[in-house]
Amino acid sequence: MQRKKEAAVTYYVGVDVGSASVRAALVDGRGAVAAHAEQPIRIWEPQPDHYEQSSADIWAACCSVTKKVVSGVDAGLIRGLGFDATCSLVVLDKQFQPLAVNSEGQNHRNVIMWMDHRAVSQVEHINATQHRVLSYVGGAMSVEMQPPKLLWIKENLPDSWEKAGCFFDLPDFLSWKATGVTARSLCTVVCKWTYTSDRGWDDTFWEMIGLEDLVKDKYEKIGNHVLSPGEAVGKGLTPEAAKDLGLPAGLAVAASLIDAHAGGLGVIGADVKGHNLPCENQPMTSRVAMICGTSSCHMGVSDKPIFVPGVWGPYFSAMVPGLWLNEGGQSATGKLIDHVVRGHVAFPELQSKAAASAHSIYTYLNSHLDLIKKSLPVGFLTVDLHVWPDFHGNRSPLTDLTLKGMVVGLTLSRGLDELALIYLATIQGIALGTRHILEAMQVAGHDISTLFLCGGLSKNPLFVQMHADITGKPVVLSEEVESVLVGAAILGACASGDFASIQEAMAKMGKIGRVVQPNHEHRRFYDKKYEVFLKLVEHQREYRSIMNS
């Protein structure tokens, strides 16, 4: 745990459940993180593309980190609690106990993770219906959403399906554990379950895909009480949850957000005056928040609904009240960089040299690239090395989970130089993928001038600079690197009643730290890299067509 000097008179607690860890922060009314703690959570991978977790393990970690950040703080100064989490599926029985999502019958493994791709045939069946609700998810549903996972459970685990009493998105599970109220957040049900803010659930969709059972009980198992993000849930913390978390009973608890949306909330509304940015004096709709961790999400808002092929949404009020949200994404970014670097034959040498220099492996790689670049800009080192980054399928804008990663330009070299180059090319491939998504959004009607980055990868200066150079847009980094936690705390601040609206809390609690400008002199090089990037997927589809003919 890390703690900074306490100065504010009121605090809010934000809890963020990521893919591999749970984090909590104590945040003051100006958006400064006064205390921060983190604890790992377990992931099971019983077979390829199956990723499972335990809701009990996750809740225990939430309690542990929250107790740490509020330790020694006057409980009377803590005004609200907000949760965010990955959009994983939690399954409970009719007594609200964990229920197995696996053929082994292991009930404690009751969470199908967001990145689980077991429901491929189910999502193909759903997309073949061409139901009207699919127009709100970019025209095709992702295997990472909840309906295909529910259908997979019904078809493959009939005993669990019969015993199931409740299906929660993980953010909603957390607010239920805290308050005892089964209300769902508008964010989760709109973005991952096909709920719409004007029509609610569409009976014909669930009946058409074979989940008519959910309609018959009036959607009790998936939620028939929906709250806006930041709205107070029930009567606040129950006595039992308060004891577990180390917080006062009755403390205001907010309707939650998906983790990427909390990151967007933490950065996209920041005051940019005095930074000479193109989005200054422009509406929030000129900004895209990019949340970069294990995967990456690209969050853009608009006054009117914009339908972007291959990009999720438009979702009304799913992140910022009163605005429509489009969400692009890349299924593996931080995970891909780790995969490429740690799987290289020179990784043990990198690990040893980084440890000897007391630097992280990525700081060391960035320094090594500076050593080998000679007179060239670092990015130009990959003139003959290109990466298509969809090692876990393409979420946006191609919505093709069958696409595979590609590397063009390999040599017989096995040393640290080669590892540094493939690391650089992978980061560039991810940034080129972001450009691909932004261009799709702009063609459809978005007017984007500035990127706002947060999440673990935003701490890597090479990752940030490549995104600025390759997209040609300035990148804004927040003052607090833990923007997702600030976003969760903003929810708690709204639930407490201390702010009149989420927009007011965003403006006061979101702070700009640094601006990274693109190097426009490098534009021609990256335009060529982008041309090659698009050719890569063309070639992949061509050779697959040949092999399948």
Side-chain angles (χ1 to χ4, degrees):
M1 185 185 72
Q2 303 148 358
R3 183 181 293 281
K4 297 178 183 176
K5 184 178 178 182
E6 297 168 17
V9 293
T10 55
Y11 294 106
Y12 311 96
V13 176
V15 178
D16 163 53
V17 179
S19 299
S21 68
V22 175
R23 303 179 304 150
L26 188 68
V27 182
D28 69 23
R30 298 165 301 170
V33 175
H36 167 259
E38 183 170 5
Q39 181 168 314
I41 49 178
R42 189 164 177 192
I43 298 173
W44 287 267
E45 188 181 356
Q47 54 185 289
D49 287 333
H50 287 229
Y51 296 94
E52 298 168 6
Q53 291 183 311
S54 160
S55 64
D57 178 47
I58 290 168
W59 180 249
C62 289
C63 296
S64 175
V65 292
T66 301
K67 281 181 174 177
K68 287 178 181 176
V69 299
V70 303
S71 175
V73 178
D74 181 352
L77 300 179
I78 301 171
R79 301 274 299 147
L81 169 65
F83 292 99
D84 74 76
T86 64
C87 48
S88 300
L89 178 68
V90 183
V91 183
L92 304 178
D93 67 17
K94 293 175 176 66
Q95 287 73 46
F96 292 92
Q97 296 302 307
L99 191 61
V101 295
N102 49 78
S103 56
E104 298 95 328
Q106 298 291 314
N107 284 327
H108 65 284
R109 286 163 37 202
N110 68 317
V111 179
I112 300 179
M113 289 187 71
W114 65 270
M115 61 184 180
D116 185 291
H117 282 190
R118 70 181 68 183
V120 172
S121 64
Q122 288 75 21
V123 80
E124 289 173 351
H125 163 70
I126 290 169
N127 286 328
T129 67
Q130 298 185 320
H131 194 279
R132 60 177 174 256
V133 300
L134 300 179
S135 64
Y136 286 89
V137 292
M141 181 166 286
S142 166
V143 71
E144 295 171 8
M145 293 180 177
Q146 309 303 8
K149 292 174 181 172
L150 293 171
L151 190 56
W152 185 92
I153 293 172
K154 182 177 181 178
E155 292 177 354
N156 293 274
L157 302 175
D159 190 50
S160 287
W161 182 258
E162 198 60 38
K163 291 178 179 177
C166 205
F167 300 101
F168 279 115
D169 219 284
L170 183 53
D172 296 321
F173 167 81
L174 299 174
S175 61
W176 166 72
K177 283 292 286 185
T179 66
V181 177
T182 60
R184 305 318 203 265
S185 167
L186 184 67
C187 174
T188 59
V189 293
V190 164
C191 295
K192 305 300 173 185
W193 298 72
T194 74
Y195 187 91
T196 58
S197 51
D198 56 344
R199 296 192 308 270
W201 298 114
D202 189 320
D203 294 357
T204 64
F205 169 72
W206 298 100
E207 290 164 353
M208 188 178 287
I209 68 170
L211 292 177
E212 62 283 345
D213 343 25
L214 301 177
V215 181
K216 290 174 184 174
D217 71 0
K218 298 180 180 178
Y219 300 102
E220 185 176 346
K221 289 182 180 179
I222 63 172
N224 48 26
H225 179 206
V226 178
L227 300 174
S228 295
E231 192 174 342
V233 181
K235 297 179 180 178
L237 277 183
T238 64
E240 181 183 2
K243 182 180 178 183
D244 290 343
L245 292 161
L247 291 167
L251 180 72
V253 176
S256 54
L257 280 173
I258 298 166
D259 54 351
H261 301 64
L265 209 64
V267 296
I268 202 169
D271 185 352
V272 299
K273 287 177 184 173
H275 290 271
N276 194 30
L277 286 164
C279 64
E280 186 173 345
N281 300 320
Q282 297 298 314
M284 198 184 301
T285 53
S286 65
R287 310 175 181 190
V288 160
M290 187 174 161
I291 299 85
C292 331
T294 304
S295 61
S296 290
C297 296
H298 308 73
M299 323 291 279
V301 292
S302 57
D303 294 316
K304 295 179 180 179
I306 298 176
F307 292 85
V308 186
V311 173
W312 297 342
Y315 304 131
F316 187 67
S317 291
M319 185 173 76
V320 181
L323 293 178
W324 293 85
L325 171 70
N326 282 107
E327 179 186 351
Q330 295 161 294
S331 293
T333 50
K335 186 176 179 65
L336 174 60
I337 295 168
D338 277 351
H339 171 77
V340 168
V341 170
R342 294 177 184 276
H344 196 278
V345 67
F347 179 68
E349 180 188 352
L350 167 64
Q351 211 170 17
S352 174
K353 289 185 174 179
S357 65
H359 288 123
S360 74
I361 57 173
Y362 296 115
T363 299
Y364 189 88
L365 278 173
N366 293 349
S367 299
H368 191 76
L369 285 166
D370 283 332
L371 285 176
I372 64 176
K373 72 182 175 92
K374 299 179 182 176
S375 61
L376 287 171
V378 165
F380 288 25
L381 289 169
T382 59
V383 64
D384 291 321
L385 186 61
H386 310 280
V387 171
W388 178 265
D390 292 328
F391 285 50
H392 198 50
N394 183 282
R395 186 189 298 171
S396 305
L398 303 178
T399 59
D400 185 348
L401 61 89
T402 69
L403 283 175
K404 304 292 189 285
M406 300 173 72
V407 182
V408 175
L410 292 174
T411 70
L412 292 175
S413 172
R414 296 159 54 88
L416 197 53
D417 288 2
E418 181 69 13
L419 171 51
L421 291 176
I422 191 68
Y423 159 71
L424 170 61
T426 301
I427 287 177
Q428 289 176 333
I430 291 167
L432 290 161
T434 290
R435 176 168 168 174
H436 200 195
I437 292 166
L438 296 180
E439 286 191 359
M441 293 174 72
Q442 289 174 148
V443 166
H446 282 275
D447 184 13
I448 301 160
S449 68
T450 312
L451 299 182
F452 288 68
L453 260 63
C454 67
L457 291 176
S458 70
K459 301 171 189 176
N460 183 333
L462 180 67
F463 184 90
V464 174
Q465 189 65 59
M466 287 298 101
H467 275 76
D469 290 349
I470 287 170
T471 64
K473 301 183 189 302
V475 172
V476 177
L477 302 173
S478 60
E479 187 175 298
E480 283 291 349
V481 294
E482 305 297 351
S483 299
V484 176
L485 284 166
V486 172
I490 285 173
L491 295 174
C494 291
S496 73
D498 290 349
F499 293 91
S501 66
I502 280 185
Q503 286 91 330
E504 181 190 348
M506 288 166 65
K508 290 186 178 177
M509 295 177 71
K511 296 282 191 302
I512 286 184
R514 189 165 65 92
V515 174
V516 176
Q517 295 288 350
N519 190 327
H520 294 295
E521 293 179 5
H522 300 169
R523 176 163 187 164
R524 187 165 177 268
F525 177 80
Y526 290 116
D527 283 348
K528 289 181 178 181
K529 287 281 289 187
Y530 187 57
E531 189 177 346
V532 172
F533 179 80
L534 296 179
K535 289 286 184 186
L536 290 178
V537 72
E538 283 182 31
H539 292 324
Q540 181 172 161
R541 285 176 162 169
E542 283 175 12
Y543 78 64
R544 290 172 71 180
S545 176
I546 292 168
M547 295 305 297
N548 292 328
S549 62

